[in-house]
Amino acid sequence: FTPPEGYDRYVVIDFEGKDEIIEFPAIALDARTLQELDGPCSPACGAAATARNRFHRWVRPVALFNGKPLNPRSEAVSFAQALQEFDAWVGGPEAGARTLFVICGDWDIKTQVPKQCRLSGVPVPPYFSSWANLKVLYNEHFGTDTRGMKGMLGHSGMLGPHGQVQGQHHLGMHDSTNIAKVLVRLVQAGGATGVTGCRDSSGRISSRWSAQGTRR
């Protein structure tokens, strides 16, 4: 396969949480080898990561538990802290210049990141101004009309014997792992990767449609 021009790595993200982000997972892949990046993480990452390849934080919602007691043993942190640790892990504000953020759909970065940043009173990091919607890239290359992660896994022959996904569906790190597998499959099959959606400084979104008409 040919490494993507202009990118050193992929970072696969699959947030969990409907009203607010409650799980913040990410997996980094070397764009040339398609292997998870290896090596130590910056100490600024704190407890969120021990290596360059994976980042994970449980996130405490801003409003969901208002007026309710919190579990003192919970490992969840504020979104602001999780984002600060992720920023250190991913390489700072300019990380997007050589990183392609890959998500399964548009929602994670197009919608939920700006919403959560507003709720948490923090700015949207500049590297979250563009993303690659894996569903559309996959459908464009294979001529399919898969509507989600499970469909892509099934088409790629990566479901279990009873049609089940590996791990627990809707657990963020498990889903991120499965999305990364689909990304590797796509690239190894000669599929193109690149930005499919972006947000300008005014917040206006630009994205393209897949060959099958599925919106990213």
Side-chain angles (χ1 to χ4, degrees):
F1 66 92
T2 303
E5 185 176 349
Y7 296 106
D8 294 329
R9 61 180 173 172
Y10 300 108
V11 171
V12 177
I13 294 176
D14 192 68
F15 296 121
E16 295 297 333
K18 181 178 179 181
D19 297 312
E20 296 193 46
I21 293 172
I22 60 172
E23 186 181 3
F24 193 145
I27 300 174
L29 303 176
D30 187 304
R32 292 171 295 276
T33 67
L34 300 179
Q35 300 296 313
E36 290 191 27
L37 290 172
D38 197 12
C41 180
S42 164
C45 298
T50 57
R52 293 169 58 203
N53 61 327
R54 294 197 172 211
F55 174 93
H56 185 268
R57 265 303 197 186
W58 297 106
V59 180
R60 184 174 64 250
V62 174
L64 187 60
F65 298 126
N66 276 353
K68 299 178 182 179
L70 299 176
N71 181 353
R73 292 174 294 182
S74 172
E75 296 180 356
V77 300
S78 69
F79 178 77
Q81 179 179 331
L83 188 60
Q84 182 180 29
E85 293 177 353
F86 177 79
D87 192 87
W89 177 82
V90 81
E94 303 305 318
R98 304 293 297 180
T99 302
L100 183 63
F101 291 92
V102 180
I103 54 179
C104 187
D106 278 327
W107 178 86
D108 297 81
I109 296 178
K110 172 187 172 183
T111 303
Q112 196 66 357
V113 165
K115 176 183 175 182
Q116 188 65 59
C117 285
R118 286 194 300 271
L119 286 169
S120 300
V122 296
V124 177
Y127 46 74
F128 280 151
S129 63
S130 64
W131 59 90
N133 183 333
L134 183 59
K135 288 191 291 187
V136 178
L137 296 174
Y138 190 95
N139 285 335
E140 287 178 346
H141 179 71
F142 290 108
T144 52
D145 190 23
T146 59
R147 301 303 174 99
M149 180 190 75
K150 188 173 182 180
M152 292 187 290
L153 288 167
H155 180 263
S156 296
M158 292 190 285
L159 291 175
H162 303 291
Q164 75 275 21
V165 300
Q166 298 295 314
Q168 184 176 334
H169 195 17
H170 297 305
L171 191 61
M173 186 54 81
H174 291 185
D175 284 352
S176 296
T177 300
N178 283 316
I179 293 166
K181 291 178 182 178
V182 173
L183 172 63
V184 170
R185 166 82 172 91
L186 170 67
V187 176
Q188 288 178 336
T193 58
V195 170
T196 64
C198 60
R199 180 188 305 105
D200 66 20
S201 58
S202 68
R204 183 171 52 195
I205 300 295
S206 299
S207 62
R208 72 180 191 268
W209 296 73
S210 75
Q212 288 70 40
T214 304
R215 190 65 182 269
R216 300 205 254 310

